[in-house]
Amino acid sequence: MGQVAWKGLFLSLFDYKTEKYVIAKNKKVGILYRVVQLSILAYLVGWVFVVKKGYQDTDTSLQSSVITKLKGVAFTNTSELGERLWDVADYVIPPQGESVFFVMTNLIVTPNQRQATCPEVGRTEPLGPPTPTKLGSASIPDALCYKDEDCPSGEAVVAGNGVKTGRCLKDRDSVRGTCEVLAWCPVEKRSKPKKPLLASAENFTVYIKNSIRFPKFKFSKMNVLATNNESYLKSCRYSTEHPYCPIFLLGNIVRWAGSDFQEMALEGGVIGIQIEWNCDLDKAPSECNPHYSFSRLDNKFSEKSVSSGYNFRFAKYYRDAEGVDYRTLIKAYGIRFDVMVNGKAGKFNIIPTVINIGSGLALMGAGAFFCDLVLLYLIKKSNFYRGKKYEEVKSSSRKSLSSPTLNGNQSPDQLGAL
């Protein structure tokens, strides 16, 4: 018995299979087949070619250059700075006009610092008993001391301003004190601002010049209107009527990002400006337009957190007539703007077109295969249709071993009697 089976398997290697087309008069399977065909055709035409533009070659390696320029002045009158006029050289950092720029809206000034010895914790920070928000003067815990031995000489104060000198300074009748440090004295004030100094920065404008290039198609464009009218950029503002006037009010940018400028100006934050270029190069170049979107990148819901806002420090140095170096320390709060550019360009190419058409034809074949499974295995008369589709033909030299149910000549009634 085993030898017969192996012989049959060996002889089957030399069999040849050819297709046999059977027209099945079954309306349910026929409707299913047409629905599958129409679905595949709709996917191929609607999604692949219309929505995804599968007939195009694409270039996502966008080359971009961003230049920014701010305009606006503000006037302030404070006890520390007196009357002062602020222009772009004062509040824009860095001044080069890069894709990331910072607009200062608030600041804490510590003037006339010089290198000397002084208390690490200033007299404005009392060393009293703990409170719910302050452990004595726990703004710098490493500076707290009870005796001189608590301030080892030469040791830097953790999160402080200088190096310990070995002395513990105390107020009169106080048990606890603060370490004396060698630092830029007086040390920086630790108070937070109560209102933005440059609240009028909301009306400042920023000019964002963006040049892009798609190297594969050698296509270049700018987001500025090509005009010889020198007064155009001096009077226009970005809007749907002027999409090629990239001059924005800072207040509008923050509002479009879903935030309030005056609240954000108090302690700072980060705004993202997204420029999107999606270009169909089969159309006229005038149809390739930039699209702007704005979002707040820092966590606006953490305004009460100790890490909320955006700030940094810088100093301005000078020397008096006696040759002593001084500096004015500025802790700047403000809004950082990140300009991000991305995009994609597409143009007709025969290669992706042929590939997608071939994929669609392959899906048509998969649809026919699915309907064959339904016809031959899932409906009630599947045995009858299998008998019609698969027929074994043998030469006269070999005995016919075909089953009477599979010779393709039975009717459904005959199959029911088997």
Side-chain angles (χ1 to χ4, degrees), residues 256-393:
W256 292 335
S259 297
D260 180 81
F261 186 90
Q262 296 302 322
E263 292 180 359
M264 197 172 183
L266 183 61
E267 295 188 18
V270 184
I271 294 291
I273 303 173
Q274 184 77 40
I275 306 178
E276 189 85 20
W277 294 85
N278 289 321
C279 300
D280 185 352
L281 300 184
D282 292 327
K283 300 179 180 179
S286 60
E287 298 294 323
C288 177
N289 299 315
H291 297 277
Y292 300 89
S293 60
F294 310 88
S295 59
R296 184 163 180 176
L297 302 182
D298 63 318
N299 188 359
K300 66 179 180 180
F301 300 106
S302 63
E303 294 178 354
K304 303 302 180 182
S305 170
V306 294
S307 62
S308 63
Y310 182 83
N311 64 78
F312 61 91
R313 295 171 177 83
F314 66 94
K316 297 182 178 180
Y317 297 86
Y318 58 94
R319 181 175 295 173
D320 66 5
E322 298 178 357
V324 180
D325 290 328
Y326 287 85
R327 76 176 188 181
T328 297
L329 179 65
I330 299 174
K331 184 177 182 180
Y333 295 83
I335 304 175
R336 193 183 83 176
F337 295 87
D338 294 7
V339 183
M340 299 164 285
V341 183
N342 56 49
K344 180 178 70 173
K347 193 173 184 179
F348 175 77
N349 191 301
I350 191 62
I351 295 177
T353 304
V354 171
I355 291 175
N356 284 303
I357 291 176
S359 300
L361 295 176
L363 286 176
M364 289 288 188
F369 176 75
F370 171 72
C371 291
D372 275 354
L373 292 179
V374 174
L375 181 68
L376 302 178
Y377 298 101
L378 301 180
I379 64 176
K380 293 181 179 180
K381 299 179 181 179
S382 58
N383 288 335
F384 169 72
Y385 289 113
R386 280 204 306 273
K388 290 295 185 180
K389 182 173 178 63
Y390 300 110
E391 183 176 355
E392 188 174 303
V393 179

Side-chain angles (χ1 to χ4, degrees), residues 108-370:
I108 297 176
V109 180
T110 308
N112 302 322
Q113 284 187 322
R114 66 185 182 91
Q115 292 196 6
T117 57
C118 55
E120 175 61 82
V121 178
R123 298 305 182 189
T124 58
E125 299 180 72
L127 296 168
T131 67
T133 59
K134 201 172 187 182
L135 181 59
S137 183
S139 57
I140 309 178
D142 192 44
L144 299 178
C145 63
Y146 294 91
K147 53 186 182 297
D148 290 345
E149 288 75 12
D150 295 333
C151 305
S153 179
E155 182 180 285
V157 179
V158 177
N161 298 283
V163 177
K164 299 174 183 177
T165 63
R167 296 179 60 197
C168 180
L169 304 179
K170 302 178 183 178
D171 288 333
R172 184 177 299 176
D173 299 329
S174 296
V175 176
R176 184 167 54 181
T178 181
C179 292
E180 182 185 64
V181 292
L182 174 64
W184 285 93
C185 299
V187 296
E188 179 188 60
K189 299 177 182 178
R190 293 270 168 182
S191 60
K192 283 190 174 184
K194 298 295 187 290
K195 61 180 181 178
L197 179 66
L198 298 181
S200 60
E202 185 173 7
N203 298 316
F204 294 171
T205 61
V206 57
Y207 167 58
I208 304 175
K209 179 182 176 181
N210 179 215
S211 303
I212 59 106
R213 181 174 182 269
F214 291 102
K216 180 182 288 188
F217 304 122
K218 298 180 180 179
F219 176 83
S220 301
K221 198 169 183 181
M222 290 175 55
N223 67 335
V224 184
L225 182 66
T227 178
N228 294 324
N229 185 358
E230 296 182 358
S231 64
Y232 176 73
L233 291 178
K234 295 180 180 179
S235 59
C236 71
R237 294 292 182 270
Y238 174 81
S239 65
T240 54
E241 292 78 18
H242 298 282
Y244 278 87
C245 175
I247 298 179
F248 304 85
L249 285 171
L250 297 186
N252 287 343
I253 293 177
V254 174
R255 186 174 69 255
W256 292 335
S259 297
D260 180 81
F261 186 90
Q262 296 302 322
E263 292 180 359
M264 197 172 183
L266 183 61
E267 295 188 18
V270 184
I271 294 291
I273 303 173
Q274 184 77 40
I275 306 178
E276 189 85 20
W277 294 85
N278 289 321
C279 300
D280 185 352
L281 300 184
D282 292 327
K283 300 179 180 179
S286 60
E287 298 294 323
C288 177
N289 299 315
H291 297 277
Y292 300 89
S293 60
F294 310 88
S295 59
R296 184 163 180 176
L297 302 182
D298 63 318
N299 188 359
K300 66 179 180 180
F301 300 106
S302 63
E303 294 178 354
K304 303 302 180 182
S305 170
V306 294
S307 62
S308 63
Y310 182 83
N311 64 78
F312 61 91
R313 295 171 177 83
F314 66 94
K316 297 182 178 180
Y317 297 86
Y318 58 94
R319 181 175 295 173
D320 66 5
E322 298 178 357
V324 180
D325 290 328
Y326 287 85
R327 76 176 188 181
T328 297
L329 179 65
I330 299 174
K331 184 177 182 180
Y333 295 83
I335 304 175
R336 193 183 83 176
F337 295 87
D338 294 7
V339 183
M340 299 164 285
V341 183
N342 56 49
K344 180 178 70 173
K347 193 173 184 179
F348 175 77
N349 191 301
I350 191 62
I351 295 177
T353 304
V354 171
I355 291 175
N356 284 303
I357 291 176
S359 300
L361 295 176
L363 286 176
M364 289 288 188
F369 176 75
F370 171 72

